[in-house]
Amino acid sequence: MIEIKNVYKKLGGKEVLRGINLEVQDGELMVIMGGSGMGKSVLLKHIIGFLNPDSGDVLVDGVSIPGCSRKELYDIRKGYGVVFQSPALLQSLTIEDNVALPLKEHSDYSADKIGEIVRERLHWVKLYEIEQKLPSELSGGMQKRASLARALTLDPHLMLFDEPATGLDPILTATIAQLIVDLHGRIGFTSIAVSHNMSFSFKIADRIAMLYNGRIVAVGTPDEIRGSSDPFVHDFIHGIAKKE
Amino acid sequence: MDLFEKTGSKILDSLEGVGGTIVTLFRGLYWFKQTIKYRALIFEQMLFCGVESIPVVIVIALFTGMVVALQTGQALARFELEGTIGNVVAASICREMGPVFTAIIVAGRVGSAMAAQLGTMKVSEEIDALEVMSIDPTRYLVMPRVWALLIMLPVLTIFADLIGIIGGGVIARLQIGVSYYTYFDGVMSNLEIKDIYTGMVKAVVFGFSISAVACYQGLHARAGAQGVGRATTRSLVFAFLSILIFDYFISAIFY
């Protein structure tokens, strides 16, 4: 379970997170939705351990992430799969080497076994015959899927997605969303995605948390969020411009 | 912000940079214990740092030796001491010109490329991706680069010394009129082992400083193309500075 307890964070003099409280149950697919610059990615970085809160705590399976040493964080992160806004594939490595990298680093598997796992993960994300290509030879959508395959390599129990639909057309966005739903059904990981893309969020989420001005203003199922009376949630969902 | 505040802030930034560079180097050295596992990455970096630098090292070393021979040869000829030109060229090349010029070439060609590559990886979230895969960037990226320069800079320096001495010999023969025998006899009889190992000590220290500066600047590049450009420039400037500063102190210690 992920517990975010009263987290405050100031960056560059601006208070980005102002007392965030959120719980994500095991196996749940939570989407944190909100406008640009509302602190969604900053919150995700607290869960990864890239940032520490000024006050408050982030607990992953009962372990306080801000209190972890660098070595402890590395141990915890072996159970994470993270898909970044950009594909973040190592450009100097082939797709096969990219996906195999976590296994080469953290397992004693033979080259054959690693190759087998890599092909399996690539098939999970519907990528075929691209093992020897470099990331730059693939389209944006394929790179995103390869990045997803790499995140799945070590059988993570927690998947984190940072704006996974950014830069993709509506069809590719729907494809990625369906992939996440399918993989979630197959593996049963806990997942937190941050996104401002509504169709994507409503498609994948078990629950949605709406982030506005550094606070969670609403949490609920997609239907509950659609019917929310909160003015920000209403305006965000219906794409109503902010009144000056 | 007043002048004092600005100056103070700059000084603090510089100290942070020096401290960060030292920490980056020591983290890289800590991972030397996994050298065998990462031998392929080290070898790849050695090819880039060493083998691919050979053509430019040849040109620079050759002309350096030729210039030293020409300048000193003409001066020595006035006192009819042109027969000692081999001593002068060998000592100046091995002690000073060889290690320093090679390091400057490597800092310009390799150090800046390292900073640009790591900076690009930083801004495209590749470094973050390594971190979330529990792969320490200092193990995967810094250690192979430190190893590569640690090995290849002394090798390139020995190579540059040889080419420089040969270049000097050609000029001594053609321009100054000293026979090859006299020139190389001067080189061999007066060149001390201390001249060689001082040059090697310099090359090793320069290898550490160039790789540490380049890796630190690259890994701390700020977002965007401008950030990568800035990291590359800073890497070059700080590497040059460190080469000159270490050169002075090592010379002062050994001579």
Side-chain angles (χ1 to χ4, degrees), chain A residues 70 74 77 86 105-106, chain B residues 38 125 131 133-134 136 139:
Chain A
R70 192 177 167 91
Y74 278 154
R77 285 184 197 145
S86 64
E105 289 289 320
H106 304 303
Chain B
Y38 290 93
E125 296 183 305
E131 287 276 0
M133 288 188 279
S134 304
D136 189 336
R139 184 177 75 214

Side-chain angles (χ1 to χ4, degrees), chain A residues 45 48 50 70 73-78 80 82 84-93 98 101-102 104-106 150 154 162, chain B residues 27 30-31 34 37-38 41 44 117 120-121 123-141 145:
Chain A
K45 284 179 180 173
I48 298 170
F50 283 169
R70 192 177 167 91
L73 271 179
Y74 278 154
D75 285 339
I76 290 171
R77 285 184 197 145
K78 285 177 192 166
Y80 285 14
V82 182
F84 290 93
Q85 196 165 346
S86 64
L89 296 165
L90 302 194
Q91 297 296 313
S92 56
L93 301 182
N98 263 289
L101 190 57
K104 285 181 181 167
E105 289 289 320
H106 304 303
R150 183 179 65 182
L154 293 180
D162 187 3
Chain B
R27 281 195 179 153
Y30 171 78
W31 290 113
Q34 294 205 356
K37 184 177 175 184
Y38 290 93
L41 286 177
E44 189 183 298
Q117 190 193 10
T120 306
M121 290 179 76
V123 301
S124 61
E125 296 183 305
E126 289 176 47
I127 305 290
D128 286 348
L130 287 175
E131 287 276 0
V132 296
M133 288 188 279
S134 304
I135 300 169
D136 189 336
T138 53
R139 184 177 75 214
Y140 189 77
L141 299 170
R145 285 164 172 78

Side-chain angles (χ1 to χ4, degrees), chain B residues 81-143:
Chain B
L81 289 171
E82 63 269 31
T84 62
I85 187 171
N87 320 356
V88 179
V89 171
S92 55
I93 292 280
C94 293
R95 286 182 193 179
E96 206 57 45
M97 306 286 192
V100 172
F101 280 16
T102 307
I104 285 176
I105 294 162
V106 170
R109 203 193 84 82
V110 177
S112 55
M114 280 182 183
Q117 190 193 10
L118 298 187
T120 306
M121 290 179 76
K122 171 81 178 168
V123 301
S124 61
E125 296 183 305
E126 289 176 47
I127 305 290
D128 286 348
L130 287 175
E131 287 276 0
V132 296
M133 288 188 279
S134 304
I135 300 169
D136 189 336
T138 53
R139 184 177 75 214
Y140 189 77
L141 299 170
V142 176
M143 181 267 276

